[in-house]
Amino acid sequence: MKTSPLPTADTGSRHPARYWHALDDGRYQCDLCPRYCKLYPGQRGACFVRMREGKDMLLTTYGRSSGFCIDPIEKKPLNHFYPGSSVFSFGTAGCNLACKFCQNWDISKSRDIDTLMDAASPQEIVATAQHWGCHSVAFTYNDPVIFAEYAIDVADACHAAGLKTVAVTAGYITELARRDFFSRMDAANVDLKGFTDDFYVKLCGAHLQPVLDTLCWLRHETEVWVELTTLLIPGHNDSDEELTALSNWVRRELGADVPLHFSAFHPDFKMDDLPPTPPDTLRRARRIALDSGLQHVYTGNVHDIDGDTTRCTGCGEALIVRDWYEIRSYRLDARGACPHCGTVLAGRYGAVGAAVDKAFGARRIPVAIHRRP
């Protein structure tokens, strides 16, 4: 398996890829994700952004982005990772899954280099994030697994400058690659898209088990803060039976204190003939998960203050009250302890977000990285 050293200089959008090896038949096998694409010269992987060129394997989107924004951390969604803080967010193009319901399909499914609107070195991203007072940098919009070399370089630059890093990912990555990738991440929101292999095969072009393996490894073998998101699609992954099985697995294998977000589907991409997810479906899912023993279950993409509120696991007090992405009340100290009973809330806390009047709020700010004021 080739693991070429990552160059320290920005070499543009065509960058040596890691995690591959040559096969006896002359093809190169990409070992980054469980698809294990096998390529002849001139061919690209299923993600489209990793390709073989002659004797080289390349990442074709290194240093290029589909756009930069400043978000509240709750949009990732992460409710227990420095609540109220701002995060500098960006992605590239392409994806290693083939979700028919993709909500960011214009980015993740793009094969057009013009989708990549802005270029930035790791150092420029750090400087821009610092300029805007962001607490962390998030690799998001499309799955950062496929631009791992770029994400790793950016994450190393972030940590050198004191910034935290966040991966928003489907967790479809090999055991070989995940150690490098997640060793650079402070937090991850992992999309657990459904809880049957049939769902993954038919609607995502993937398999469930590698995602479960990644989740267990993250929870038990790393210090990465993990939250989960499941997009509920009417008639496909929202049955009581599947939601109960999912919730029980999370409690048993990951722990009752791992936050789980149920978010609402809206018709898009290849599934634009379905209705949006009813709010009552999200509330039903939340109740099933809470009844299964999970402590922190949230609803997303709908207006539901109760489903956005973080409660103390000791006494039940409302500790963080949110209205969409606005924090209305924050009652934790820097340790994340409840002022009423002293129970320490699972998560990562500190001075960031501790004062309501300093919380970032719900706004998203697009940023042109080379035109800072």
Side-chain angles (χ1 to χ4, degrees), residues 49-70:
V49 302
R50 309 182 82 83
M51 70 173 293
R52 179 176 175 188
E53 187 175 83
K55 295 183 178 180
D56 298 320
M57 280 282 283
L58 301 174
L59 168 64
T60 62
T61 54
Y62 186 101
R64 299 291 300 277
S65 173
S66 54
F68 300 94
C69 289
I70 304 169

Side-chain angles (χ1 to χ4, degrees), residues 4 17 59 136 170 196 292 302 371:
S4 313
L59 168 64
S136 56
T196 66
S292 297
V302 294
R371 295 197 297 273

Side-chain angles (χ1 to χ4, degrees), residues 6-8 10 15 59 61-65 68 88-92 119-129 136-140 144 147-166 181 184-186 369:
L6 290 173
T8 56
D10 181 10
H15 187 89
L59 168 64
T61 54
Y62 186 101
R64 299 291 300 277
S65 173
F68 300 94
F88 188 76
S89 303
F90 77 97
T92 59
S121 69
Q123 291 73 27
E124 287 175 313
I125 289 173
V126 168
T128 307
S136 56
V137 170
F139 312 99
T140 181
F147 61 94
E149 295 84 355
Y150 187 29
I152 286 171
D153 282 359
V154 173
D156 285 344
C158 287
H159 287 152
L163 295 173
K164 303 295 185 183
T165 55
V166 173
F181 180 77
R184 270 68 171 207
M185 302 299 153
D186 296 295
I369 201 165

Side-chain angles (χ1 to χ4, degrees), residues 102-293:
C102 184
Q103 313 279 283
N104 289 325
W105 63 269
D106 53 333
I107 295 172
S108 65
K109 305 306 177 190
S110 176
R111 296 190 172 192
D112 187 351
I113 197 68
D114 290 337
T115 298
L116 301 177
M117 299 181 295
D118 210 347
S121 69
Q123 291 73 27
E124 287 175 313
I125 289 173
V126 168
T128 307
Q130 290 179 316
H131 172 84
W132 288 97
C134 295
H135 182 258
S136 56
V137 170
F139 312 99
T140 181
Y141 305 141
N142 70 318
D143 202 305
V145 163
I146 66 165
F147 61 94
E149 295 84 355
Y150 187 29
I152 286 171
D153 282 359
V154 173
D156 285 344
C158 287
H159 287 152
L163 295 173
K164 303 295 185 183
T165 55
V166 173
V168 180
T169 174
Y172 209 60
I173 187 170
T174 62
E175 181 180 0
L176 179 70
R178 70 189 181 198
R179 294 184 182 277
D180 278 353
F181 180 77
F182 285 110
S183 69
R184 270 68 171 207
M185 302 299 153
D186 296 295
N189 185 287
V190 179
D191 285 331
L192 182 54
K193 296 179 181 292
F195 204 66
T196 66
D197 197 58
D198 186 65
F199 179 93
Y200 266 84
V201 170
K202 292 181 178 179
L203 296 186
C204 304
H207 291 280
L208 172 62
Q209 191 59 50
V211 181
L212 301 184
D213 292 343
T214 294
L215 284 169
C216 289
W217 178 82
L218 279 171
R219 178 61 170 170
H220 300 296
E221 303 295 333
T222 78
E223 296 299 319
V224 178
W225 174 252
V226 178
E227 302 191 22
L228 310 180
T229 296
T230 298
L231 183 77
L232 295 183
I233 304 175
H236 288 275
N237 64 350
D238 62 345
S239 70
D240 286 3
E241 180 182 21
E242 183 167 341
L243 293 171
T244 298
L246 185 156
S247 301
N248 286 338
W249 183 89
V250 172
R251 176 184 51 78
R252 183 178 67 251
E253 301 296 336
L254 306 183
D257 60 350
V258 171
L260 172 60
H261 304 255
F262 290 116
S263 60
F265 161 88
H266 64 261
D268 215 333
F269 196 41
K270 296 180 179 180
M271 297 183 72
D272 58 2
D273 57 340
L274 293 178
T277 307
D280 284 347
T281 296
L282 298 180
R283 297 187 184 102
R284 172 173 57 85
R286 181 169 181 260
R287 175 48 52 196
I288 288 172
L290 290 171
D291 289 345
S292 297

